Amino acid sequence: NFLVDICRVCNNTSDRKHADVILERYVTDTVMGIVNTFFSSPFSDQSTTLQTRQPVFVQLLQGIFRVYHCNWLVPSQKASVESCIRVLSDVAKSRAIAIPVDLDSQVNQLFLKSHSIIVQKTAMNWRMSARNAARRDSIFTASRDYRNIIERLQDIVSSLEDRLRPLVQAELSVLVDVLHRPELLFPENTEARRKCESGGFICKLIRHTKQLLEENEEKLCIKVLQTLREMMTKDRGYGEKGEALRQTLVNRYYGNIRAAGRRESLTSFGSGPLTPGGPNNKTGTGGGTSSGSTVLGRGEMSLTEVQCHLDKEGASDLVIDLIMNASSDRVFHESILLAIALLEGGNTTIQRSFYCRLTEDKKSEKFFKVFYDRMKVAQQEIKATVSVNTSDLGNKKKDEESSENEVTVRRRAKEPSAQITEEAREQLLEASTATRKAYNVYRREADPEDHYSSADGVPGTADKNTDELEMSPVITIMQPILRFLQLLCENHNRDLQNFLRCQINKTNYNLVCETLQFLDCICGSTTGGLGLLGLYINEKNVALINQTLESLTEYCQGPCHENQNCIATHESNGIDIITALILNDINPLGKKRMDLVLELKNNASKLLLAIMESRHDSENAERILYNMRPKELVEVIKKAYLQGDVQFEDTENGEDPAASPRNVAHNIYILAHQLARHNKELQQILKPSGQMGAGDEALEFYAKHTAQIEIVRLDRTMEQIVFPVPSICEFLTKESKLRIYYSTERDEQGSKINDFFLRSEDLFNEMNWQKKLRAQPVLYWCSRNMSFWSSISFNLAVLMNLLVAFFYPFKGLKGGTLEPHLSGLLWTAMLISLAIVIALPKPHGIRALIASTILRLIFSVGLQPTLFLLGAFNVCNKIIFLMSFLGNRGTFTRGYRTMILDVEFLYHLLYLLICAMGVFVHEFFYSLLLFDLVYREETLLNVIKSVTRNGRSIILTAVLALILVYLFSIVGYLFFKDDFILEVDKLSNDTAFPEEGRSMTEELLSSEFCRPGDDRNCTSAEPPTEELVSEEEKEHTCETLLMCIVTVLSHGLRSGGGVGDVLRKPSKEEPLFAARVIYDLLFFFMVIIIVLNLIFGVIIDTFADLRSEKQKKEEILKTTCFICGLE
């Protein structure tokens, strides 16, 4: 009773020798602080007992007023008592509590007196400061010098620590290197080396750790546990000196062996402050991240391999035994951290090991009882030591004045108390800190085993500004416990999800419900209303709340319907707390750390989605909607959308930050979308009204960036999956979509998924590049019209080849004047086509304009200049196409090596080179551009593929044909040499060539011949007679083996009946007549019929296969879903 203590203090004022100083300090500091804090908080406004217990309030005010007049008060105590009197007086006025008239007048006189005293003190201070300025300056200078010396010494010590810390860490890491390869400590072919290679050393170390615990060697046991955990942690980076020291120490143990790098790990629970599970801890609908496949470890071992190796040697059994039998909180803490390191990345082998050990040895009851008791103790600690964030109470009062009729009265009553000075706030913090410390001391004396001091490894709370928000070690230990339970259920482990809920023992411990109860307790539901969440959530416990939400989410995902029902139907306020985390503004935390508030809302929305995952009933959704107003949910979405930037926030590498305002709002939108199936009002509110206000913009944005698919579960039930579409997907080009759609492997559903994921990285890089491309307008415009530039190039190539084909050579075609009616007709066609293009820009009108313009140019400047202009234009167009091609692919950012190795880029570069050669070398190079038709048309590409696809078979068959030709040539050379007589038409050397229309070869060959019209004398060269030109001559074509091979290869393969068609016709009287017949028939059957038809058959069959594949692909595209593969 405060009144009794106050009376005792007031009555002992005369005899100071026997005064109870501790009681006086308790009353002036602790009691005044408690009274001041309570009546300044919102709880006093909500309390109705104050009106019914007015006499007690008056007695309290009278007692405190008596304390104020005690002569033993020091100035700080007097200020505390005066502040308390001021608060009680304001409460009495605001709540209309009747105070005796004399007491009221005395209180008012006290305030006036204190005001005058403050004025006098201020004036005196000004006068004294003017007199003693020089003296004060000297004192301040001396104290400042001492402070500077101390600060410099501290800087020197901290810099030495920073320099030497990598060396110390490198020296300590050598022990972990030795544990990874202990066999290298012993000579080869020894018993000790063989035992270490088989894992005997680690196994013995783990067994020895259990003995250490039994022998009360706690510190050594903790050191071994930390070392085992260190085997799975990441390399800290020791710098050059640290690595050199580490290498030297390793060489002393092993010899000249280079130490491998340390592996990466997601474990972040260390001896320092606990975090939710590391920076890479991401819990989503798909389960946790998996890093086990990354080979980053010492001795070329991955994290998964090290975890399995330690588990094989008994690490999991060690963890279970230590958790069940640990008598020290530090050993228990380190055991949990080792279990987290073993399970990190969702290692299913370790999960199975834990499950088998707990089920086979019948020790699950004791194991889960430890966690159950820890959760219960933590809840009791939270209820007993709940601390409310009073730092912004004054501002919160102004923001939360409730009723409209009492707004003016409340403001007038509360304005004085809202003006809290820094001194008063500091006194408040000191009072609450002293009370909490006193209570903790009492609890430790009552139950010393449940608490361990900061000397045992838990950080102390010395700072008075942060001590109010620090959590007890009993509560902080819950964070690694919940992380451990989450990792047990990682990857949707159904057995362990159910095992946490029901162990089928004599006593069952439902950790799922207990985790929900813990969330309910830490968020203050048992001590206050849901609207006061901000008073209980602060920077110190927000990580623990996030971990609790993530653990509950992992309990449900998969889905595990039993755990979903367990959470949804629990008697606590758990679901309401989760809903309140989404709907309410969590202030004052939201004013300082909005990122933490967004992370809370994000995890809460994921948990509600996990509770409703794969549910075909509406029970859980109705439970969530029970205390949720649909309008509030939609308002939260709109508010979070407006908090984001104008554009959807992306990081530099293209990934969206998980806790950005718009991403959090997107998750809440998906939650609302799922709940709208069971609530018509919410379904109607989610539809934009069409007025395009701020809220409608948010709903339009999320409706556009939300997609859904139907999947078929193992039980053959169809389920709709709703997922967010990242905004970066908007930058995927239409060409890439069509390329993926038509070229993805669709033989089987598995092969399609594998092929699709192989392309995903390229698609992601392309989307990132396309996003950056928007900032370059010229390049973006070129890239956007890439297909248009390609069409122009092909059409120009066809047009130029038509001109070359019809009018080459161009010597007789020069520009000139046309008939007046033809010229007028051309100008009329140009003007009409131009008008059509301006009025209706259709492709046909554009083609007509281009054709009439080219004809006009041909007849105005000539064919050859027109062809030159067209070729130059085609070169420029191809350069623009190359820019658009590189822009679309993002090849600029990949470096020159990638650009050179890109086959498609090299093809277009060759195309550009041929265009330039057509312009500057000769027009016939334009003919090569027509091969672009093969690149553009899939049918022609299949024709080429029919030869190249089975090219090996065709080449081997052709080699067989060459071998046969070679053999037949040898036989012909040996036995039928005289039969190789062919009729030839010899070309006379003095043949006169016509002047016009000669080919390039003829021009070169005729440069030395005499032609009519030359200035040279041509009388000596007589033209050949008709008899000589028409004379048929015969030659022997098998005088050498090489000539035989050439003749058989050239004439034998091209003749329908084989080589016999071109050889001399033998007489039946000749002795080799029969051999000649056999020779001709064998060549005909073996080479012409069999070998050549084999080659043709391979080509035809390949073309038929390609055609059937194309038809099958078209049929699949028409009748099969691209995503699920269902017809």
Side-chain angles (χ1 to χ4, degrees):
N1 192 339
F2 291 163
L3 295 176
V4 175
D5 295 333
I6 291 173
C7 290
R8 287 175 58 190
V9 169
C10 294
N11 294 334
N12 293 336
T13 57
S14 58
D15 187 9
R16 296 305 300 164
K17 293 183 180 178
H18 300 88
D20 192 349
V21 180
I22 297 177
L23 180 62
E24 292 173 354
R25 195 175 302 159
Y26 165 72
V27 170
T28 56
D29 293 342
T30 307
V31 173
M32 298 304 162
I34 292 174
V35 172
N36 201 348
T37 303
F38 175 77
F39 285 104
S40 298
S41 67
F43 298 114
S44 64
D45 296 339
Q46 299 174 2
S47 176
T48 58
T49 59
L50 192 60
Q51 301 293 338
T52 59
R53 306 192 64 179
Q54 292 186 12
V56 178
F57 180 84
V58 174
Q59 292 176 14
L60 182 63
L61 181 58
Q62 289 175 341
I64 295 175
F65 193 77
R66 285 182 58 195
V67 173
Y68 180 79
H69 289 89
C70 293
N71 53 10
W72 46 265
L73 288 175
V74 297
S76 61
Q77 294 174 335
K78 201 162 190 176
S80 176
V81 176
E82 182 181 348
S83 175
C84 188
I85 294 174
R86 185 184 300 275
V87 170
L88 292 177
S89 175
D90 293 337
V91 171
K93 292 177 182 178
S94 63
R95 303 294 291 269
I97 298 176
I99 299 178
V101 178
D102 54 345
L103 179 62
D104 190 17
S105 61
Q106 290 175 358
V107 169
N108 294 331
Q109 189 176 2
L110 170 65
F111 292 156
L112 293 174
K113 182 179 178 181
S114 62
H115 179 71
S116 62
I117 290 173
I118 290 173
V119 172
Q120 292 176 3
K121 284 185 178 180
T122 305
M124 181 65 69
N125 289 335
W126 278 104
R127 288 196 297 270
M128 294 298 294
S129 62
R131 293 175 184 175
N132 303 327
R135 183 181 177 185
R136 188 178 65 252
D137 291 342
S138 63
I139 295 174
F140 285 168
T141 303
S143 62
R144 195 183 305 111
D145 292 339
Y146 286 121
R147 190 181 301 112
N148 289 338
I149 293 172
I150 295 172
E151 290 177 354
R152 296 298 177 271
L153 288 173
Q154 290 177 346
D155 292 340
I156 293 172
V157 172
S158 62
S159 68
L160 286 175
E161 285 181 351
D162 293 338
R163 289 186 181 183
L164 297 178
R165 186 179 294 112
L167 299 178
V168 175
Q169 292 176 348
E171 186 175 358
L172 294 175
S173 71
V174 176
L175 176 59
V176 182
D177 285 307
V178 172
L179 289 179
H180 273 284
R181 301 295 300 276
E183 66 273 7
L184 298 179
L185 296 172
F186 305 98
E188 295 183 2
N189 301 324
T190 58
E191 185 67 22
R193 188 180 182 105
R194 284 193 292 269
K195 288 183 178 180
C196 290
E197 287 177 348
S198 61
F201 182 81
I202 296 294
C203 182
K204 211 160 192 177
L205 179 64
I206 290 173
R207 287 202 303 266
H208 183 63
T209 309
K210 299 178 184 178
Q211 296 178 1
L212 291 175
L213 185 63
E214 295 172 0
E215 297 170 1
N216 293 326
E217 294 286 346
E218 179 181 325
K219 291 186 178 179
L220 191 55
C221 180
I222 291 173
K223 184 61 180 176
V224 175
L225 292 175
Q226 290 175 345
T227 306
L228 291 174
R229 178 159 54 92
E230 192 74 15
M231 295 176 67
M232 295 172 283
T233 54
K234 61 182 178 180
D235 188 1
R236 296 184 178 89
Y238 310 113
E240 294 182 3
K241 294 183 178 179
E243 289 294 339
L245 174 63
R246 179 170 167 235
Q247 184 67 39
T248 303
L249 294 175
V250 169
N251 288 339
R252 290 182 183 179
Y253 287 103
Y254 290 158
N256 294 323
I257 297 177
R258 184 174 181 81
R262 296 280 291 279
R263 70 186 40 75
E264 296 288 340
S265 172
L266 302 181
T267 307
S268 64
F269 289 105
S271 58
L274 300 174
T275 59
N280 297 330
N281 176 29
K282 297 179 182 178
T283 305
T285 56
T289 57
S290 177
S291 62
S293 60
T294 308
V295 180
L296 296 162
R298 296 176 189 252
E300 299 179 354
M301 293 177 66
S302 66
L303 174 62
T304 305
E305 290 172 344
V306 177
Q307 290 172 337
C308 294
H309 172 63
L310 292 177
D311 174 65
K312 181 181 177 183
E313 304 306 329
S316 301
D317 297 341
L318 173 66
V319 167
I320 293 173
D321 291 337
L322 291 181
I323 288 175
M324 291 190 297
N325 303 316
S327 58
S328 168
D329 286 331
R330 285 203 63 195
V331 174
F332 178 80
H333 187 205
E334 290 296 335
S335 303
I336 292 293
L337 296 183
L338 179 58
I340 291 172
L342 286 170
L343 287 165
E344 198 63 69
N347 193 322
T348 55
T349 304
I350 310 298
Q351 289 176 340
R352 190 66 186 169
S353 178
F354 272 99
Y355 181 73
C356 293
R357 173 68 193 278
L358 292 173
T359 53
E360 291 173 1
D361 295 347
K362 304 293 183 182
K363 293 186 177 181
S364 60
E365 182 176 351
K366 186 178 180 181
F367 180 79
F368 286 105
K369 184 179 186 300
V370 173
F371 295 110
Y372 184 83
D373 293 342
R374 292 271 177 179
M375 289 184 180
K376 284 295 184 185
V377 171
Q379 292 176 39
Q380 293 172 4
E381 181 74 12
I382 291 172
K383 294 175 183 177
T385 62
V386 60
S387 61
V388 178
N389 190 354
T390 59
S391 60
D392 289 340
L393 284 178
N395 296 331
K396 188 167 183 63
K397 281 190 195 175
K398 287 187 176 182
D399 295 339
E400 294 183 354
E401 291 169 3
S402 50
S403 122
E404 294 182 359
N405 6 359
E406 298 180 1
V407 169
T408 314
V409 179
R410 282 181 175 271
R411 281 185 181 171
R412 289 176 183 172
K414 295 186 183 234
E415 273 176 4
S417 62
Q419 304 293 332
I420 300 177
T421 63
E422 291 296 329
E423 183 180 0
R425 182 172 297 167
E426 184 175 357
Q427 292 174 1
L428 275 174
L429 292 174
E430 289 178 353
S432 60
T433 302
T435 305
R436 182 173 177 273
K437 286 183 177 178
Y439 185 72
N440 285 338
V441 170
Y442 170 75
R443 293 196 68 205
R444 289 192 185 96
E445 292 175 354
D447 192 4
E449 294 184 358
D450 286 349
H451 304 272
Y452 56 100
S453 63
S454 60
D456 292 331
V458 177
T461 57
D463 190 3
K464 63 182 179 181
N465 293 327
T466 60
D467 185 62
E468 183 184 0
L469 302 179
E470 287 288 348
M471 294 184 296
S472 168
V474 177
I475 303 174
T476 56
I477 193 64
M478 285 302 302
Q479 191 168 351
I481 288 176
L482 291 172
R483 175 63 177 163
F484 168 66
L485 297 178
Q486 176 194 356
L487 289 173
L488 280 178
C489 302
E490 199 78 27
N491 295 327
H492 310 159
N493 193 315
R494 185 68 59 84
D495 294 333
L496 283 167
Q497 284 176 332
N498 291 321
F499 200 53
L500 291 182
R501 187 189 70 259
C502 180
Q503 296 88 40
I504 318 179
N505 292 323
K506 184 177 180 181
T507 304
N508 184 60
Y509 297 100
N510 191 338
L511 296 187
V512 176
C513 289
E514 207 57 38
T515 305
L516 185 65
Q517 187 71 39
F518 178 77
L519 175 68
D520 186 16
C521 185
I522 197 173
C523 290
S525 172
T526 56
T527 55
L530 295 179
L532 301 175
L533 282 175
L535 299 178
Y536 298 94
I537 300 176
N538 49 61
E539 292 186 42
K540 300 298 180 182
N541 64 3
V542 66
L544 179 55
I545 297 174
N546 272 320
Q547 181 59 63
T548 309
L549 293 171
E550 290 173 3
S551 298
L552 287 169
T553 303
E554 201 62 47
Y555 295 164
C556 299
Q557 284 179 350
C560 181
H561 294 299
E562 295 80 4
N563 286 353
Q564 290 176 340
N565 295 333
C566 184
I567 294 175
T569 59
H570 194 259
E571 59 186 6
S572 68
N573 293 328
I575 292 292
D576 299 331
I577 284 285
I578 300 165
T579 305
L581 288 174
I582 298 175
L583 298 181
N584 293 343
D585 293 330
I586 304 174
N587 288 325
L589 179 63
K591 297 178 181 178
K592 301 177 181 178
R593 295 293 304 275
M594 179 54 68
D595 57 328
L596 298 178
V597 174
L598 290 173
E599 188 178 359
L600 266 180
K601 293 180 179 292
N602 195 36
N603 289 327
S605 61
K606 288 180 180 178
L607 176 53
L608 293 182
L609 285 171
I611 293 174
M612 295 190 299
E613 183 182 356
S614 300
R615 303 288 299 193
H616 299 288
D617 53 23
S618 60
E619 294 180 5
N620 291 355
E622 290 175 356
R623 174 64 185 90
I624 294 171
L625 288 166
Y626 182 74
N627 285 329
M628 178 188 291
R629 287 187 288 273
K631 287 186 178 180
E632 290 184 358
L633 186 62
V634 177
E635 288 300 322
V636 170
I637 297 172
K638 296 177 180 179
K639 184 177 180 180
Y641 175 83
L642 295 176
Q643 285 179 356
D645 296 330
V646 177
Q647 293 182 350
F648 202 73
E649 297 182 19
D650 292 334
T651 55
E652 292 183 359
N653 58 359
E655 294 181 359
D656 300 332
S660 67
R662 296 206 171 174
N663 281 3
V664 174
H666 206 161
N667 282 339
I668 300 175
Y669 177 83
I670 293 176
L671 172 65
H673 185 277
Q674 297 290 80
L675 291 171
R677 301 177 184 176
H678 311 280
N679 188 287
K680 293 183 178 179
E681 181 184 358
L682 181 58
Q683 188 176 4
Q684 190 65 30
I685 295 175
L686 282 178
K687 295 179 180 179
S689 60
Q691 299 177 359
M692 290 310 293
D696 290 329
E697 181 186 355
L699 297 179
E700 287 281 355
F701 176 84
Y702 291 124
K704 180 182 177 181
H705 289 85
T706 304
Q708 58 190 26
I709 60 172
E710 287 75 27
I711 65 170
V712 179
R713 294 280 184 180
L714 294 176
D715 57 356
R716 305 303 298 168
T717 58
M718 183 174 288
E719 178 186 350
Q720 189 180 70
I721 301 295
V722 181
F723 59 93
V725 178
S727 62
I728 198 171
C729 293
E730 296 177 354
F731 302 105
L732 187 64
T733 59
K734 185 179 180 181
E735 292 81 4
S736 298
K737 292 180 182 179
L738 292 175
R739 185 173 67 251
I740 290 295
Y741 185 68
Y742 287 111
S743 61
T744 301
E745 191 68 38
R746 294 196 179 194
D747 294 341
E748 296 177 358
Q749 188 71 2
S751 63
K752 178 181 67 177
I753 294 174
N754 182 48
D755 186 31
F756 184 76
F757 275 97
L758 288 176
R759 301 166 183 250
S760 60
E761 186 176 357
D762 294 334
L763 291 174
F764 187 70
N765 293 332
E766 180 184 346
M767 288 185 284
N768 281 330
W769 168 250
Q770 288 292 332
K771 183 182 177 183
K772 296 177 182 177
L773 195 63
R774 299 298 194 271
Q776 305 176 26
V778 176
L779 187 58
Y780 174 62
W781 181 78
C782 294
S783 303
R784 188 177 57 183
N785 300 302
M786 188 175 71
S787 58
F788 178 67
W789 311 128
S790 177
S791 300
I792 289 178
S793 294
F794 180 72
N795 290 326
L796 285 175
V798 173
L799 179 61
M800 288 187 297
N801 278 283
L802 287 175
L803 295 176
V804 170
F806 281 104
F807 301 107
Y808 190 86
F810 309 121
K811 290 187 176 181
L813 299 173
K814 294 184 179 180
T817 58
L818 281 176
E819 301 268 343
H821 64 279
L822 291 177
S823 179
L825 185 62
L826 279 177
W827 282 112
T828 304
M830 282 184 62
L831 294 175
I832 292 174
S833 57
L834 179 62
I836 293 174
V837 168
I838 294 174
L840 296 172
K842 298 292 183 180
H844 299 293
I846 295 174
R847 292 192 186 100
L849 176 63
I850 293 172
S852 57
T853 304
I854 291 174
L855 288 174
R856 181 68 265 176
L857 281 173
I858 290 173
F859 288 104
S860 297
V861 300
L863 183 60
Q864 199 163 4
T866 302
L867 195 62
F868 180 82
L869 291 175
L870 291 176
F873 181 76
N874 196 16
V875 170
C876 297
N877 179 75
K878 198 60 184 179
I879 292 174
I880 296 175
F881 174 84
L882 269 178
M883 289 179 58
S884 64
F885 176 81
L886 296 176
N888 267 334
R889 295 293 183 88
T891 318
F892 293 122
T893 60
R894 303 181 190 177
Y896 293 104
R897 179 180 176 83
T898 308
M899 194 180 299
I900 293 173
L901 295 178
D902 190 350
V903 178
E904 200 167 355
F905 170 74
L906 293 177
Y907 167 78
H908 294 297
L909 191 62
L910 179 64
Y911 191 103
L912 176 62
L913 181 63
I914 295 173
C915 289
M917 292 176 69
V919 174
F920 300 108
V921 180
H922 200 275
E923 293 85 356
F924 286 166
F925 281 104
Y926 290 139
S927 61
L928 298 177
L929 301 180
L930 296 177
F931 283 110
D932 189 43
L933 184 63
V934 179
Y935 173 78
R936 297 168 60 88
E937 293 295 331
E938 186 180 1
T939 304
L940 288 178
L941 200 60
N942 286 337
V943 173
I944 303 299
K945 285 182 179 179
S946 64
V947 179
T948 59
R949 188 171 184 177
N950 288 325
R952 176 179 170 81
S953 301
I954 295 174
I955 290 174
L956 291 176
T957 310
V959 169
L960 175 61
L962 288 176
I963 293 172
L964 292 175
V965 167
Y966 178 62
L967 294 177
F968 278 98
S969 301
I970 292 175
V971 173
Y973 180 75
L974 293 176
F975 301 103
F976 309 109
K977 185 176 181 180
D978 296 333
D979 292 346
F980 282 81
I981 300 175
L982 300 181
E983 294 180 356
V984 294
D985 298 329
K986 288 186 178 182
L987 187 65
S988 178
N989 290 336
D990 53 358
T991 303
F993 296 103
E995 183 69 22
E996 299 294 336
R998 293 181 299 160
S999 66
M1000 294 176 64
T1001 307
E1002 292 169 344
E1003 291 178 358
L1004 292 174
L1005 293 176
S1006 63
S1007 60
E1008 299 297 330
F1009 297 120
C1010 179
R1011 297 191 302 271
D1014 291 345
D1015 296 335
R1016 293 177 294 176
N1017 186 10
C1018 298
T1019 56
S1020 61
E1022 296 181 358
T1025 61
E1026 292 182 5
E1027 290 82 1
L1028 292 174
V1029 174
S1030 62
E1031 182 183 11
E1032 294 182 354
E1033 296 185 3
K1034 296 183 179 180
E1035 288 184 354
H1036 288 278
T1037 56
C1038 194
E1039 295 178 351
T1040 62
L1041 181 59
L1042 179 60
M1043 287 303 301
C1044 275
I1045 295 172
V1046 172
T1047 303
V1048 174
L1049 188 63
S1050 174
H1051 297 277
L1053 296 181
R1054 291 189 294 113
S1055 300
V1059 74
D1061 289 352
V1062 296
L1063 297 184
R1064 181 183 64 84
K1065 304 299 185 290
S1067 171
K1068 63 180 180 179
E1069 303 296 334
E1070 296 180 6
L1072 294 178
F1073 175 77
R1076 171 66 189 278
V1077 173
I1078 295 173
Y1079 178 81
D1080 293 345
L1081 289 176
L1082 283 176
F1083 188 91
F1084 176 72
F1085 281 109
M1086 295 180 66
V1087 178
I1088 302 300
I1089 293 181
I1090 297 177
V1091 177
L1092 292 183
N1093 285 326
L1094 280 176
I1095 295 175
F1096 299 150
V1098 169
I1099 295 174
I1100 293 171
D1101 289 343
T1102 305
F1103 183 75
D1105 292 340
L1106 290 172
R1107 184 175 57 186
S1108 62
E1109 287 177 7
K1110 182 182 177 182
Q1111 292 175 351
K1112 184 179 179 181
K1113 183 183 291 186
E1114 292 175 352
E1115 183 68 21
I1116 291 174
L1117 290 174
K1118 292 179 181 178
T1119 61
T1120 307
C1121 175
F1122 179 78
I1123 301 297
C1124 63
L1126 299 177
E1127 294 186 358

